[in-house]
Amino acid sequence: MLRPFVLHRPRTAEEACALLARLGEDAAPYAGGTELLLLMKLGLLRPRHLVDVKRVAGFDDIADGVRLSIGAGVTHRTVERSAAVQARCPLMASVARHVGNVRVRNVGTVGGNLAFADPHSDLATLFLALDASVELVSPRGRRELTLAEFVRGPWETARAADELLTSVRLTPWPASTAAAFVKFGVHERPTLGIAVALRLDGSGTGRARVVDARIAIGCVNPCPARAPGAEARLSGVALAELEDVAGEAAALAAASADTADDLYGSADYKREMVAVFVRRALRAAAARARGVAPVAGFPHTIVA
Ligand SMILES: Cc1cc2nc3c(=O)[nH]c(=O)nc-3n(C[C@H](O)[C@H](O)[C@H](O)COP(=O)(O)OP(=O)(O)OC[C@H]3O[C@@H](n4cnc5c(N)ncnc54)[C@H](O)[C@@H]3O)c2cc1C
């Protein structure tokens, strides 16, 4: 049951931040409400004021410049359908297409997803792999943080109470990048999400080599984490040999995972799953680099 609250509908970020600063602990930013209203109904959060950010100017913009900038108020559905996102970062559009269900995608926002910092966020895992950063605004001005700086732990971010997330920004990797996001789940939220991006040199499919690799592991760690040992192992590997090295890199990624027992499974199970799914994600990325559609036939698995 929802307790009564006052809904504020500011038109500018400055107005919204001033409200948050003035109302302090009694207020919370409110976007799609898919997380916030659930917690309020359960009585786990009891803000007496909600500051609706959906009408804040610029929050629903997607800006396509040197960097691609996605406003905090942009819904997953808009990301999925955006021509700019599809052209500059197709993996982002594809990941958005598989967030939750269509009801969540229609109202849930990119900013709400990241600010909530659920360890099961697909977006945080994807953006970590893509070296994205977030912009925050407060009465003290604007600042930009990398995803790793912003997400500090389960449901914990570097955001101050009077700060709003305005956008997430990234420089799309070159077209020669091979990328994949593989997620597995039997519950409402994913059990595991793996993002892989491999920057290949331009010497053609047959002779291409990995010049830079990113692997981010989501869901099983306290917050999404890169796998630097596995990334280093992939550097310099020829695309034609990726299949041989994928198992070794996956084992390194699994060894780096900080897993714990919970309702999604035991720590050991999750570590094993990381090994299996990093291998699958690398295979999917390698298949794409060769112009082949990746295999997506595993139960409860999505290859984005
Ligand atoms: C059934 C279900 C399935 C889901 N499945 C997935 C999934 O597969 N993958 C995945 O990644 N996610 C999943 N989610 C999470 C979903 O993506 C988020 O619920 C959604 O994006 C949150 O956005 P929102 O606008 O509804 O946030 P809200 O609920 O409005 O807000 C969430 C939190 O962020 C704060 N907040 C909101 N906007 C801002 C802002 N601009 N600045 C600062 N703080 C802000 C709020 O105060 C609140 O604490 C699922 C959720 C549900 C309910």
Side-chain angles (χ1 to χ4, degrees), residues 72-267:
V74 173
T75 64
H76 303 298
R77 188 90 171 118
T78 302
V79 171
E80 173 193 339
R81 295 159 74 114
S82 158
V85 176
Q86 286 171 12
R88 303 280 315 279
C89 191
L91 186 61
M92 195 195 307
S94 185
V95 169
R97 188 173 313 130
H98 297 291
V99 167
N101 54 56
V102 73
R103 290 168 65 197
V104 170
R105 292 195 290 276
N106 263 332
V107 292
T109 63
V110 170
N113 182 297
L114 296 177
F116 194 58
D118 183 331
H120 298 265
S121 161
D122 293 333
L123 273 56
T125 306
L126 174 72
F127 289 138
L128 183 69
L130 297 180
D131 298 327
S133 56
V134 295
E135 191 200 55
L136 296 158
V137 63
S138 76
R140 296 170 298 288
R142 290 177 188 258
R143 62 180 178 140
E144 194 166 318
L145 300 178
T146 63
L147 228 286
E149 290 166 337
F150 179 66
V151 182
R152 287 194 169 157
W155 299 281
E156 188 194 336
T157 69
R159 184 180 81 82
D162 61 353
E163 268 185 318
L164 277 179
L165 207 150
T166 65
S167 62
V168 58
R169 298 150 173 204
L170 61 92
T171 306
W173 280 29
S176 59
T177 302
F181 189 97
V182 180
K183 74 176 192 176
F184 169 82
V186 290
H187 305 286
E188 209 169 52
R189 317 270 170 138
T191 299
L192 178 63
I194 302 288
V196 161
L198 306 173
R199 198 191 305 249
L200 304 168
D201 68 12
S203 54
T205 305
R207 303 166 68 181
R209 281 185 184 276
V210 176
V211 289
D212 201 0
R214 293 282 186 281
I215 299 176
I217 304 169
C219 303
V220 297
N221 295 313
C223 59
R226 296 258 302 273
E231 292 173 355
R233 178 64 189 91
L234 293 167
S235 183
V237 169
L239 183 59
E241 289 160 12
L242 197 62
E243 185 76 16
D244 303 333
V245 179
E248 204 184 317
L252 287 166
S256 75
D258 180 15
T259 58
D261 299 349
D262 65 15
L263 292 174
Y264 287 83
S266 70

